[in-house]
């Protein structure tokens, strides 16, 4: 299971910090990722972090996002700064190999608006 939290309403230029607690998987076996789905759009991968801490980011958040993980509490984090209205989406965590047939948690909604 994946339980995301930390979303909410944020102003443009602000920041948001998201967390995702995982259970039911061997956390250290997987590269973990954050995805987001904006209204009317397909889900996209935003950032990923390997079990050794190597990170990758989508071009849309490069330079504005930081992803990390804490193996001791099976949690993945995502911080996005300098928020833009186009960051508005429901954010999900999962493994980096997840697809539409995978289990998805409820997500956490981020709304960027003044």
């Amino acid at each position: 299971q994946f339980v995301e939290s930390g979303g909410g309403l944020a102003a443009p230029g602000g920041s948001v910090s998201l967390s995702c607690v995982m259970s039911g998987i061997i956390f250290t076996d997987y590269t973990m990722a954050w995805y987001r789905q904006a209204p009317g759009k397909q889900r996209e991968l935003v950032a990923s972090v390997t079990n050794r801490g190597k990170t990758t980011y989508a071009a849309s958040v490069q330079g504005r996002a930081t992803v990390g993980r804490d193996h001791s509490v099976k949690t993945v984090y995502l911080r996005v700064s300098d928020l833009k209205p186009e960051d508005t989406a429901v954010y999900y965590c999962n493994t980096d190999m997840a697809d539409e047939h995978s289990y998805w948690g409820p997500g956490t909604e981020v709304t960027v608006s003044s």
Side-chain angles (χ1 to χ4, degrees):
Q1 285 189 329
F2 309 126
V3 180
E4 302 92 348
S5 62
L9 177 65
S15 62
V16 64
S17 295
L18 309 179
S19 299
C20 175
V21 180
M22 304 185 179
S23 62
I25 64 171
I26 301 174
F27 185 70
T28 53
D29 280 357
Y30 296 93
T31 292
M32 303 306 305
W34 283 93
Y35 300 77
R36 68 185 181 187
Q37 186 167 20
K41 295 187 177 181
Q42 289 190 331
R43 187 152 35 203
E44 63 170 344
L45 192 149
V46 174
S48 65
V49 54
T50 71
N51 58 1
R52 295 189 178 186
K54 181 178 179 181
T55 58
T56 59
Y57 299 94
S60 57
V61 299
Q62 182 73 48
R64 302 189 295 118
T66 302
V67 61
R69 63 193 292 169
D70 186 336
H71 292 182
S72 67
V73 290
K74 295 186 177 180
T75 300
V76 181
Y77 305 96
L78 179 71
R79 179 176 175 84
V80 184
S81 303
D82 190 21
L83 287 166
K84 307 175 187 301
E86 50 265 40
D87 293 319
T88 295
V90 180
Y91 285 71
Y92 303 87
C93 63
N94 214 313
T95 71
D96 70 328
M97 299 300 292
D99 61 21
E100 64 273 17
H101 303 296
S102 303
Y103 167 83
W104 292 89
T108 186
E109 188 169 7
V110 174
T111 302
V112 182
S113 175
S114 56

